[in-house]
Amino acid sequence: PTDRDFMETLNTLKYANRARNITNKVSVNQDKTSAQLSMLRKKIQDLEFELQEFRAGRLVVSDEGSIVQNDLANENTMLKTENDKLRLRLKNMQSVMNSQNETIASLQAERDLMKIKYHDESTGQVVVGEGS
């Protein structure tokens, strides 16, 4: 740049620096009424959930007037979880038992076959009948 354009160049650089430092803050354009409606909808949703919890028996009002979780509901949840674990364990045990029953049946069949036919080492003959 030439000396005569120095002031214009300086002003351009200052403007670019100011433009670079501009930050935008994003906000939802919402008036007070719609914000209040949104808050009330959320409150209604929370109260409906709480009402469902009371109806299901998971929440109760204590003697002091505070809302607490029902001990029976907690115990019921724990028992359901334990019941599911026991069902899975029973299923696994039944699978093992079936496998062992198959092995026993196979061994009994092999034993019965051995009773019927065995090799007499002293004579070198195959003997049919009970072995000694």
Side-chain angles (χ1 to χ4, degrees):
T2 62
D3 289 338
R4 66 185 171 119
D5 295 329
F6 176 75
M7 287 307 289
E8 187 179 342
T9 304
L10 182 62
N11 287 336
T12 303
L13 290 174
K14 287 180 181 178
Y15 176 76
N17 188 38
R18 285 193 313 269
R20 185 183 59 166
N21 291 332
I22 293 173
T23 57
N24 294 328
K25 183 179 177 185
V26 179
S27 63
V28 176
N29 190 10
Q30 206 176 39
D31 61 353
K32 289 183 181 181
T33 307
S34 61
Q36 190 175 17
L37 280 173
S38 180
M39 181 194 67
L40 290 173
R41 283 188 183 115
K42 174 73 171 116
K43 183 73 172 173
I44 288 171
Q45 186 179 10
D46 292 344
L47 290 172
E48 284 175 344
F49 177 76
E50 192 174 306
L51 181 61
Q52 287 175 351
E53 294 291 303
F54 274 108
R55 285 182 178 162
R58 290 186 284 267
L59 291 178
V60 292
V61 178
S62 68
D63 294 337
E64 297 86 32
S66 61
I67 298 173
V68 294
Q69 284 191 331
N70 189 351
D71 291 337
L72 291 176
N74 288 338
E75 186 176 354
N76 190 21
T77 304
M78 289 185 338
L79 289 174
K80 283 181 181 178
T81 303
E82 185 177 348
N83 192 13
D84 290 341
K85 288 178 184 177
L86 289 174
R87 284 179 196 267
L88 183 62
R89 186 173 173 203
L90 177 64
K91 186 176 179 181
N92 290 337
M93 292 291 212
Q94 285 175 336
S95 147
V96 168
M97 191 174 77
N98 289 340
S99 172
Q100 289 179 346
N101 283 340
E102 289 174 7
T103 304
I104 289 171
S106 171
L107 290 173
Q108 285 177 341
E110 187 178 331
R111 182 197 66 197
D112 291 344
L113 185 62
M114 296 293 254
K115 282 184 178 179
I116 294 173
K117 181 166 96 171
Y118 72 95
H119 186 268
D120 189 354
E121 292 179 13
S122 62
T123 62
Q125 295 178 1
V126 174
V127 179
V128 176
E130 287 290 323
S132 53

